[in-house]
Amino acid sequence: MKRRYSVFIVSIIFMIGIFLFSIQSIAQENSSAEGAVEEAQNIETPVTNEQVVIAEVNGEPVYLAELKEIWDTMPENYRTQFPGGFKDLLEQWIRQVLLVQEAKKLGLADDPDVKKKIENVTQQIMIQEFVTREIIEKAVVSDEEIEKEYSSNPTLYTEAEQVKARHIMVNTKEEADVVQKELKEGKPFEQVAKEKSQSPDAQTGGEMGMIRKGDLEPEMEKVLFDLAPGNVSESIETDYGIHVFLVEDHLQPRLKDLAEVKEEIRTKLLPKVQQEAFEKMIEAMKNKSEIAILEENLPKEEIPEAPATDTNPETATPPAE
């Protein structure tokens, strides 16, 4: 019973989420439509999607355009909740309309508490849209800021030292000796890896790709980064088995060009720029506004009392040594 109740609550919350999502979509639609109202008046037009009714709930029409806009602008993580696609959204919408109709019958549309909650939601949507339009969409990271970040933190934009390597892994010293013998006789490392290595990458000739410092255990790393390109290591015993390495290339640390990391830096700095723009905007609003805080009407803060100190030497806790 408890689980069933939880699922029910989750489904209701989800429906409310869709409802709020629809409010934003409808608001955007109304806003964009206002400019076209005058032009549309006195002009006969054919039936459009806006006039297509796809359902009626106690005589209340559900328009195709209304639901289609919600569906088309719905984030993917919302769409996964509708395995049946658009028809599932319609079914959910019908349930929502039924609930709203019943709520109106109970007079909830005029209930002060409900009105206050609707007002709060409206304010949140307005704030979200205002911040999006005035801060998020307008904030820009300048080239100067990007260059300053790049020159001030070179280590963040430096490629670590790397080696390109292959390896052969076997389980016993005898197997490792056979591998070393074949390699010394001139057999290609890649071929020996395919024939003898017991690592999953044997079929690719023991290819390890590019390895950066810090990627492997210290004992492996020391061998690889001390080995000159083209050379084969001695047999190295590790917790995973006995390895023989071939280093094919060794790249020293390299400071990336600014062009390579420019967008990375821009993405990194953008939240900070947006936050600074937001704070600056708030301060500007405060400076041109009349704001009075009535301190005498604020609730008094209760300062918690410090725990009493036991002054009785017989019961007091001795200090830690």
Side-chain angles (χ1 to χ4, degrees):
M1 178 64 72
K2 187 174 181 181
R3 181 180 179 185
R4 187 177 303 172
Y5 174 78
S6 299
V7 171
F8 173 73
I9 292 298
V10 169
S11 65
I12 294 298
I13 292 173
F14 178 73
M15 289 175 66
I16 293 172
I18 291 295
F19 180 65
L20 295 179
F21 180 82
S22 68
I23 289 175
Q24 297 182 56
S25 300
I26 294 168
Q28 291 173 357
E29 179 183 353
N30 290 341
S31 176
S32 61
E34 286 176 358
V37 169
E38 293 183 4
E39 296 180 12
Q41 289 177 344
N42 302 322
I43 300 177
E44 293 185 3
T45 57
V47 175
T48 64
N49 282 347
E50 292 183 8
Q51 298 165 314
V52 175
V53 177
I54 56 175
E56 289 185 353
V57 185
N58 295 320
E60 182 176 337
V62 178
Y63 294 101
L64 172 62
E66 186 177 27
L67 253 66
K68 192 171 186 307
E69 181 174 357
I70 294 171
W71 180 257
D72 291 344
T73 57
M74 186 182 296
E76 284 300 322
N77 60 323
Y78 269 54
R79 285 196 183 189
T80 58
Q81 304 298 322
F82 300 96
F86 190 84
K87 284 187 176 180
D88 276 4
L89 175 61
L90 174 59
E91 170 61 25
Q92 196 74 14
W93 191 265
I94 289 171
R95 295 184 181 190
Q96 176 178 293
V97 173
L98 287 170
L99 288 169
V100 171
Q101 289 176 349
E102 291 300 313
K104 287 180 178 178
K105 289 178 184 179
L106 292 177
L108 294 183
D110 298 319
D111 184 282
D113 289 339
V114 174
K115 284 186 175 181
K116 184 62 178 177
K117 291 176 182 178
I118 292 174
E119 182 183 349
N120 289 339
V121 171
T122 302
Q123 289 177 355
Q124 290 302 315
I125 293 173
M126 289 176 62
I127 291 170
Q128 178 182 329
E129 282 301 315
F130 177 75
V131 172
T132 298
R133 297 180 189 190
E134 296 300 317
I135 300 296
I136 304 300
E137 293 179 356
K138 292 184 178 180
V140 175
V141 180
S142 67
D143 288 344
E144 290 76 14
E145 290 172 305
I146 292 174
E147 290 171 6
K148 181 179 178 181
E149 165 67 17
Y150 175 76
S151 59
S152 300
N153 301 285
T155 56
L156 295 179
Y157 310 106
T158 299
E159 282 187 345
E161 186 178 359
Q162 301 176 76
V163 292
K164 183 179 181 183
R166 294 179 183 271
H167 79 131
I168 298 169
M169 187 191 79
V170 293
N171 291 325
T172 66
K173 185 177 182 305
E174 290 73 22
E175 291 171 325
D177 290 342
V178 172
V179 166
Q180 290 285 7
K181 181 174 181 296
E182 291 186 2
L183 292 173
K184 287 176 182 177
E185 290 173 351
K187 200 169 184 177
F189 192 97
E190 187 174 348
Q191 183 179 345
V192 177
K194 289 180 179 180
E195 295 174 357
K196 295 291 194 299
S197 181
Q198 296 167 37
S199 175
D201 50 35
Q203 294 306 308
T204 60
E207 187 173 352
M208 300 176 73
M210 299 302 298
I211 301 164
R212 300 192 306 178
K213 268 200 168 179
D215 286 350
L216 297 177
E217 289 76 7
E219 64 270 21
M220 285 188 182
E221 193 170 276
K222 178 169 174 53
V223 172
L224 286 168
F225 284 87
D226 286 349
L227 203 61
N231 289 355
V232 174
S233 73
E234 298 294 329
S235 300
I236 310 298
E237 188 170 354
T238 71
D239 294 337
Y240 308 102
I242 301 175
H243 297 260
V244 178
F245 295 103
L246 166 67
V247 169
E248 296 180 311
D249 199 2
H250 191 151
L251 303 180
Q252 297 299 322
R254 179 185 74 90
L255 177 64
K256 297 178 184 178
D257 293 334
L258 177 58
E260 294 180 67
V261 295
K262 190 171 186 178
E263 291 310 311
E264 175 189 341
I265 296 175
R266 190 188 308 280
T267 301
K268 173 185 174 182
L269 295 182
L270 186 56
K272 180 184 176 184
V273 170
Q274 291 170 342
Q275 183 65 35
E276 289 175 349
F278 177 76
E279 297 298 338
K280 184 177 180 180
M281 181 184 69
I282 293 295
E283 285 303 312
M285 289 178 178
K286 285 183 176 180
N287 291 336
K288 66 181 181 182
S289 302
E290 293 183 5
I291 301 173
I293 298 176
L294 305 181
E295 297 283 351
E296 66 274 13
N297 293 337
L298 291 177
K300 304 301 180 184
E301 293 187 13
E302 294 184 5
I303 302 175
E305 295 183 3
T309 304
D310 191 346
T311 57
N312 186 338
E314 295 183 1
T315 59
T317 303
E321 294 182 359

